[in-house]
Amino acid sequence: MPLTPTAAVVSSACREGRAVGAFNVITLHAEAVVTGAEAAGRPVICQISENAVRFHGSRLAPIARATAALAEAATVPVALHLDHVTDEALLRRAADCGFGSVMFDASALPHTENVAATRAAARWAHAQGLWLEAELGEIGGKDGVHAPSARTDPDQARDFVSATGVDALAVAVGSSHAMTTRTARLDHGLIARLAEAVPVPLVLHGSTGVPDAELRQAVASGMVKINIGTALNAAFTGAVRDALAAAPAAVDPRPALIVARRAMADAVTSALRALSGGGG
């Protein structure tokens, strides 16, 4: 089926009172995300971060078009999202590469500058037919920059959305990027207050470190888009490590990559089933 616009996937989730999983793509991740979503029978968002683009030599089109081709061959709705963009030149390449949405991240700037930059990004994105996500303040975990204890103020969040015109807001409620243990505890009362104050879908970043029960409660409280990245990387590297340890003389990478792809797909399926209230 054709690529599904992010706005359509998220709007459907809002109407049904559920969440949509958004998974970071680096390499084989795209195949695994689509396979895992098909196994769960759920819509999904494949998201490519600015860091992933940098990993690919700052060439956006090849990884975007490969991911889009996989999405178009999928049997479930798949959207394509450009994540954590700080480079305005990269933002302006999104429309030509099949993306339905961008997360523009000016959260490291002083508040007034964040508002101005995000407003300009939203106006540009909307003129291109793109849905724009943004972040107010900073969410824990990356490169020691963010404080895991950060919290988003509902009144400030409402004013930020009004001033910028964004379509979704990533909020700080207790999760942290790059966690490898599932020990995060979310502020569910704050999530509910944010959902009441903010007229656009809420996005949870750093969801790998959040246990399934906490994620389900977050969705019940108002979270709509759930970003997951580290869980796939952990599945990939763990499977490769085990495969190479079992065959130390191997030179063909494909057997190890096959099990790595399968492990990531299983992680996607498990996460999507958890978000929809099922087991796994």
Side-chain angles (χ1 to χ4, degrees), residues 47-122:
Q47 51 188 34
I48 300 168
S49 72
E50 184 172 297
N51 283 340
V53 175
R54 192 174 298 117
F55 169 77
H56 288 284
S58 296
R59 292 183 291 271
L60 175 61
I63 182 65
R65 289 172 183 163
T67 304
L70 289 163
E72 289 167 353
T75 59
V76 294
V78 181
L80 189 58
H81 176 76
L82 187 59
D83 198 38
H84 275 291
V85 173
T86 62
D87 182 349
E88 291 188 13
L90 178 60
L91 168 70
R92 283 161 174 73
R93 290 157 60 193
D96 295 329
C97 291
F99 291 93
S101 58
V102 180
M103 187 272 183
F104 181 71
D105 187 358
S107 63
L109 296 176
H111 180 72
T112 301
E113 295 177 33
N114 182 4
V115 169
T118 303
R119 182 192 301 119

Side-chain angles (χ1 to χ4, degrees), residues 9 19 33 50 56 99 108 133 147 158 167 169 181 250-251 259 264-265:
V9 171
V33 171
E50 184 172 297
H56 288 284
F99 291 93
E133 174 187 334
R158 181 184 58 244
D167 302 293
L169 186 68
T181 58
V251 294
V259 295
M264 287 192 292

